[in-house]
Amino acid sequence: MGDDKAQNHYAVLRIERTADERAIKKAYFGLVREFPPDTHPEDFKKIREAYEVLSDTAARARYDAADKDYLEYGPEVAAQLRDIERLGKEGNNEALLDAYQRLVAAEPDLVIAREGLGHALVRAAKYDLALDQWRALCKLAPDKPQYFLFRGVAHHRLEQSDKAEKALRRAVDLDGGKSVVFRLNLVDLLAALKRNREALEEIEAGIPTFSEFEPVMALELRKVDILCTIGNAVAANEVLDRLFRRMADKHDAELPKFVSSQIAGTAAKMFSQHRLDDANGLLERCHEIHPDSPVHHPFPERALVDARALPPHAQAWLRQLKP
């Protein structure tokens, strides 16, 4: 199997760098059958080492963050991917986009290239072209929910709401409750379309699929946001009461900071809509769980300020305004 001193784990398992957990496991057991430990001890040792790193989320993240050689793709493609990575670090977006397009044209089934091109096109706000990449990836890897997620987001950017919803629902189904991200994107789409009742139903459907607190917390916070948007402050506060009780059981000092920041974001939305009582009611709840915050406190409806104490640029801006 080769004698690399610092082995490329992806090359050892004969998989793409974009392989998911299931693909890694399938590759590992296939290679173990081909190189059993009793007859191929050295090969098995390399296979086992690669599997132990790539099947562990934290270990894989550390491995992927290190300098990449991309040799699992062969020397020519590896050189192009290293060049693309350099262009990305330099911030040369035009050259980066061109390099990705040339690589995809030469290697149309190369998942990592199409994925990179899709993200580069999104950054360039070329959502129609990005959509072409996500469609192709959905065909190349039809069991990967993230490609349907990206496809749904692109459809939404192009104001194709029906297609966006279909893609996001497919992503949720494929994910099967492993990550809250897919459900949250569907909820956000429905809320953006002002289908708030359906968004709340999706949240209720999603909560039982998660056993850990963090994804449930994310869904509950989104529920608070929607309830406040539709003017149901009573129900929003009931959700917050339940959430605060569960937070207290966690004894995590960072949770109140995070939750108060999220609630303050909803309060900011209420302020922008001139719903001052609702906004300050939310900030009261922020202060309740995070009293040490220097910013998450209710604001007065009006305040007198000496304009002469403001910075010069603020005074100049005020002078341009009509009374």
Side-chain angles (χ1 to χ4, degrees), residues 128-191:
D128 53 342
L129 297 177
L131 183 57
D132 292 338
Q133 301 309 313
W134 305 134
R135 283 195 183 110
L137 284 164
C138 287
K139 290 181 180 178
L140 287 171
D143 59 340
K144 285 198 172 185
Q146 61 264 41
Y147 298 142
F148 287 91
L149 169 63
F150 300 148
R151 181 174 176 173
V153 171
H155 278 304
H156 184 40
R157 294 280 190 171
L158 294 167
E159 298 183 354
Q160 300 169 352
S161 55
D162 289 346
K163 293 179 178 179
E165 182 180 351
K166 183 179 179 181
L168 291 176
R169 288 192 181 280
R170 180 62 177 155
V172 170
D173 290 342
L174 285 171
D175 173 62
K178 296 187 184 73
S179 171
V180 74
V181 171
F182 304 101
R183 180 81 61 173
L184 287 174
N185 272 272
L186 176 57
V187 168
D188 289 345
L189 172 68
L190 294 171

